[in-house]
Amino acid sequence: MIETYDLPIRFSEEERCRYAQWGIKREKFATPLMVLVLVLDLVLVLGTLLYLIGFLKQMPGLFLFLTRQTPFFTLVGNALFVVVSFFVYKPLELLFDLLHGRPDDPRTLRLVPRPKGMNYQLLLKKKELARGSIPWDEWDRFVKAKENQILIDGEWLTIGANTRENIYPKNQQRPWLEVPGEKIVTPIELGRIRRNMDGYLASLEEKEKEKAWAEKNAPQP
């Protein structure tokens, strides 16, 4: 089975700045809304807890209506509030992305080794931006293992995940800031891939030798 490598491509400096500006602006919009939702959820949870232990039966005012409900009804009401909060919060996030223009996700480079060379596809999500093949005798010229870069269509692409640490300024790397949802399931070090390709080419050469030997020693009719 031929191994396929899906490699995340680091943002260019321009792409990084654009994504960081959008992420920081999105945080300023989303944080107060999320705090409000959490506070309301907390109020209802505490109200339910106090009702269940009988404390609210002694208190008029804001939670008086809870004393007239069953615990089951109250718990269901809380669950519904959480669901409603989700359906309010998420649409507002989507509206923000629509108004402020969510930046494109990082591109992905898919490499598939073939006997004549390394086939590649440059992808943006499922959209194909470019495709081609790098002959094996030129492979080393197209790869900078130390920098983890590869030359595709005249552009040196840096392979690596886009994380908070390399997107946002050091003084703004808060854990809730938005990052691309990249899923890395294959090796992304070009040096390691190049070593794997040495083994792949050696296996192809061995198969060719075995094929030639079998043809040479095949019984004559």
Side-chain angles (χ1 to χ4, degrees):
M1 181 177 179
I2 297 177
E3 186 171 7
T4 298
Y5 299 93
D6 288 322
L7 310 179
I9 298 174
R10 284 270 184 91
F11 283 136
S12 66
E13 182 60 21
E14 180 182 350
E15 291 170 332
R16 185 201 67 76
C17 289
R18 188 184 308 123
Y19 195 97
Q21 290 172 0
W22 169 83
I24 292 170
K25 190 181 297 182
R26 193 175 196 265
E27 178 204 23
K28 292 178 180 178
F29 166 82
T31 299
L33 184 60
M34 178 59 73
V35 170
L36 177 62
V37 169
L38 291 176
V39 168
L40 291 176
D41 281 345
L42 181 60
V43 167
L44 279 182
V45 169
L46 288 176
T48 301
L49 178 62
L50 292 174
Y51 170 72
L52 291 176
I53 63 176
F55 185 74
L56 286 182
K57 294 179 181 180
Q58 308 169 17
M59 294 180 61
L62 180 61
F63 296 113
L64 184 61
F65 76 99
L66 289 174
T67 64
R68 301 172 184 173
Q69 312 299 336
T70 65
F72 175 77
F73 182 85
T74 304
L75 290 173
V76 170
N78 288 344
L80 288 175
F81 180 82
V82 173
V83 172
V84 171
S85 299
F86 176 81
F87 283 105
V88 170
Y89 180 76
K90 293 306 291 183
L92 287 175
E93 276 192 331
L94 293 174
L95 178 61
F96 174 86
D97 292 346
L98 180 64
L99 293 176
H100 293 275
R102 182 186 179 97
D104 287 334
D105 287 332
R107 293 169 292 172
T108 301
L109 181 66
R110 177 168 294 168
L111 299 179
V112 183
R114 297 294 184 186
K116 293 185 178 181
M118 180 69 83
N119 289 359
Y120 67 82
Q121 282 181 288
L122 187 60
L123 303 168
L124 179 59
K125 292 186 177 180
K126 295 183 178 181
K127 179 182 178 182
E128 183 179 271
L129 303 177
R131 70 161 53 220
S133 183
I134 303 172
W136 290 122
D137 58 357
E138 297 186 45
W139 173 247
D140 286 343
R141 185 171 66 85
F142 279 74
V143 173
K144 294 179 181 178
K146 186 176 180 181
E147 294 84 1
N148 213 33
Q149 293 181 330
I150 183 169
L151 182 62
I152 300 294
D153 282 5
E155 179 184 2
W156 283 102
L157 303 177
T158 300
I159 305 303
N162 292 280
T163 64
R164 290 181 185 87
E165 288 72 22
N166 57 45
I167 293 177
Y168 297 99
K170 287 186 178 181
N171 62 339
Q172 293 182 308
Q173 293 174 3
R174 292 174 286 278
W176 51 83
L177 282 168
E178 192 79 9
V179 293
E182 296 169 313
K183 294 181 180 179
I184 301 174
V185 296
T186 62
I188 64 172
E189 301 82 13
L190 290 172
R192 179 177 173 182
I193 294 174
R194 186 164 63 180
R195 291 191 296 273
N196 290 350
M197 292 306 99
D198 290 341
Y200 171 74
L201 294 175
S203 69
L204 289 180
E205 185 178 352
E206 188 63 29
K207 287 180 181 178
E208 287 295 322
K209 290 180 180 179
E210 291 175 358
K211 181 180 178 181
W213 185 90
E215 292 175 351
K216 182 178 180 180
N217 293 277
Q220 298 297 322

